[in-house]
Amino acid sequence: MNRHSLLLNLSLLKTHPAYRAVFLARFISILALGLLGVAVPVQIQTLTGSPFQVGLSVTLTGGAMFIGLMTGGVLADRHERKKLILLARSTCGVGFIGLWINAMLPEPSLVVIYLLGLWDGFFGAIGVTALLAATPAIVGRENLMQAGAITMLTVRLGSVISPLIGGLLLASGGVTWNYALATLGTFITLLPLLTLPKLPAPQMQREHPLKALASAFRFLLASPVVGGVALIGALLTMASAVRVLYPALANHWQMASGEIGALYAAVPLGAAAGALTSGRLAHSTQPGRVMLFTSVLAFVAVGIFSLMPFWGLGVVCLALFGYLSGISSLVQYTLIQTQTPDHMLGRINGLWTAQNVTGDAIGAALLGGMGVALSPVSSASVSGMALAVAGVALTLLLSELRRLRQPPPQLVKP
């Protein structure tokens, strides 16, 4: 047995070659997607001068991702998952080539950007769902918490680094360089993914795709553990939508333009810190209680964030929210993967991931509606405290999740 270190254990990268391949592919993919995340809105803004058109592209891509997650969940429970991952990644690369070619035209087409956003959102979501469903087979269920923490740390740090690189490329060569390198990076990810072993889906009775999705919904409603985890995850995603109020709150605190970035960086950095210090989390024998407790505290952090007299204290509250929500998300990921039958992993992972798309949109819409009657300070505070009350109520109602006990896993030796 390893000593229970507070710091994240990275030994999976040494002991599990398949997970190491996934790690390399994911890291390269995050950098590539970060380049796109900067290039697409900048190009649309340049072509149209309309923030509405930029927002429309995000909405369309999000809708395509939602449909892709639902479709990918069914496919991942029926077909060999390695083939799905490779097919989805290759198809996304074709879409990136289209964006690159379109950007080099004398008059780039806005319609093409929208259509390829739908294309990449849909197929990218299929790949994500297949990879999530395959993860227990790649690392073993006993190592899921550790794998989730490594993934979270990689994603959070990558989401900070890749936009910076994308901005530098825009300044030096325009959007064509971003699209070209994103395309190259996406196809490079195929190299480590090709080394994965076969990842067959479990044998199951074939049924209509809509009936298969309905079965997954029934499982969520019938399972107080998995259903409760998904519900808490949706509330946390709604809480993260508080970022739509950052510009207004920056004016409230009279922040300089160079200081506003601290608000946006606080949550991902806090989540990265949570992943980095999650070494002992896998040894918790009451994961449900940890998830519920950290979620309620995360909601409270959002509730008091806007009430701080100085913006620096507000940044601390956001970092605390990122840390607590990161811990909660790690437990959610582990419970979803360990408490879901293997033949439903694709669909349940698809539904759980979809709440990241829908919860964020619902939270932003609610905050926008509250802004009609309340100030930005009050909107942020009321939303956070309301979610905290809802979290306390769910903690009392979800008794099976709260009382869930499981033995700590036997960690691999470094």
Side-chain angles (χ1 to χ4, degrees):
M1 288 289 291
N2 291 332
R3 292 181 300 170
H4 296 182
S5 172
L6 179 66
L7 296 179
L8 174 62
N9 184 353
L10 300 175
S11 60
L12 279 181
L13 297 175
K14 178 181 179 181
T15 59
H16 290 66
Y19 181 70
R20 184 166 61 247
V22 170
F23 173 84
L24 290 172
R26 180 181 282 116
F27 181 72
I28 297 170
S29 179
I30 291 168
L31 294 179
L33 292 176
L35 300 181
L36 285 176
V38 173
V40 171
V42 168
Q43 186 180 24
I44 294 177
Q45 182 69 31
T46 301
L47 291 174
T48 67
S50 170
F52 171 77
Q53 298 283 1
V54 176
L56 179 61
S57 71
V58 176
T59 302
L60 291 175
T61 302
M65 287 179 62
F66 182 85
I67 297 173
L69 289 168
M70 299 297 99
T71 305
V74 175
L75 292 175
D77 286 338
R78 294 188 176 190
H79 301 285
E80 207 273 334
R81 290 160 178 173
K82 177 183 176 180
K83 290 181 180 178
L84 277 177
I85 295 168
L86 293 172
L87 175 64
R89 195 61 62 93
S90 302
T91 309
C92 284
V94 172
F96 298 161
I97 291 176
L99 288 170
W100 180 24
I101 294 174
N102 183 60
M104 291 189 293
L105 296 176
E107 295 184 4
S109 170
L110 182 63
V111 174
V112 167
I113 298 175
Y114 286 151
L115 291 177
L116 291 176
L118 293 171
W119 173 280
D120 290 325
F122 177 78
F123 286 104
I126 289 178
V128 167
T129 310
L131 183 57
L132 285 171
T135 301
I138 292 174
V139 301
R141 290 179 182 263
E142 70 279 5
N143 296 315
L144 282 168
M145 179 76 73
Q146 186 182 352
I150 295 172
T151 299
M152 177 181 288
L153 182 62
T154 306
V155 170
R156 294 296 185 175
L157 292 180
S159 65
V160 174
I161 296 171
S162 56
L164 297 177
I165 299 174
L168 293 175
L169 288 173
L170 281 176
S172 60
V175 295
T176 54
W177 274 106
N178 287 57
Y179 290 141
L181 291 178
T183 301
L184 178 62
T186 298
F187 283 110
I188 288 176
T189 63
L190 297 176
L191 298 178
L193 292 175
L194 283 170
T195 66
L196 292 176
K198 288 187 177 181
L199 300 167
Q203 295 296 321
M204 59 176 289
Q205 183 179 359
R206 292 298 178 92
E207 55 185 346
H208 191 277
L210 293 180
K211 288 185 177 180
L213 276 178
S215 299
F217 275 110
R218 287 196 296 270
F219 174 77
L220 278 180
L221 294 175
S223 172
V225 173
V226 178
V229 168
L231 184 56
I232 291 292
L235 293 182
L236 272 175
T237 307
M238 289 175 61
S240 68
V242 72
R243 69 183 182 281
V244 302
L245 297 176
Y246 289 173
L249 290 170
N251 291 332
H252 164 73
W253 279 314
Q254 298 182 340
M255 298 174 66
S257 57
E259 297 168 340
I260 297 175
L263 297 176
Y264 289 93
V267 174
L269 288 177
L276 187 61
T277 58
S278 63
R280 295 178 182 173
L281 191 59
H283 297 275
S284 172
T285 58
Q286 294 180 298
R289 186 168 295 184
V290 171
M291 186 200 71
L292 292 167
F293 181 69
T294 52
S295 298
V296 171
L297 289 181
F299 297 143
V300 172
V302 172
I304 65 175
F305 142 70
S306 64
L307 302 178
M308 294 295 103
F310 309 108
W311 68 264
L313 294 177
V315 169
V316 172
C317 290
L318 288 177
L320 181 61
F321 168 73
Y323 179 87
L324 293 167
S325 61
I327 294 295
S328 177
S329 295
L330 281 175
V331 180
Q332 290 172 42
Y333 169 78
T334 305
L335 290 179
I336 288 287
Q337 301 289 55
T338 56
Q339 301 295 317
T340 301
D342 192 44
H343 70 276
M344 277 193 173
L345 274 172
R347 284 165 287 170
I348 297 302
N349 272 295
L351 291 173
W352 180 63
T353 308
Q355 54 89 8
N356 288 323
V357 178
T358 56
D360 190 60
I362 293 172
L366 290 175
L367 285 170
M370 292 171 63
V372 176
L374 300 175
S375 68
V377 172
S378 298
S379 296
S381 181
V382 169
S383 65
M385 290 306 179
L387 288 170
V389 171
V392 171
L394 287 175
T395 299
L396 297 175
L397 290 172
L398 299 173
S399 58
E400 188 167 338
L401 177 59
R402 188 178 69 248
R403 297 169 183 169
L404 177 68
R405 301 186 71 89
Q406 60 183 29
Q410 298 291 321
L411 293 182
V412 296
K413 294 182 179 181

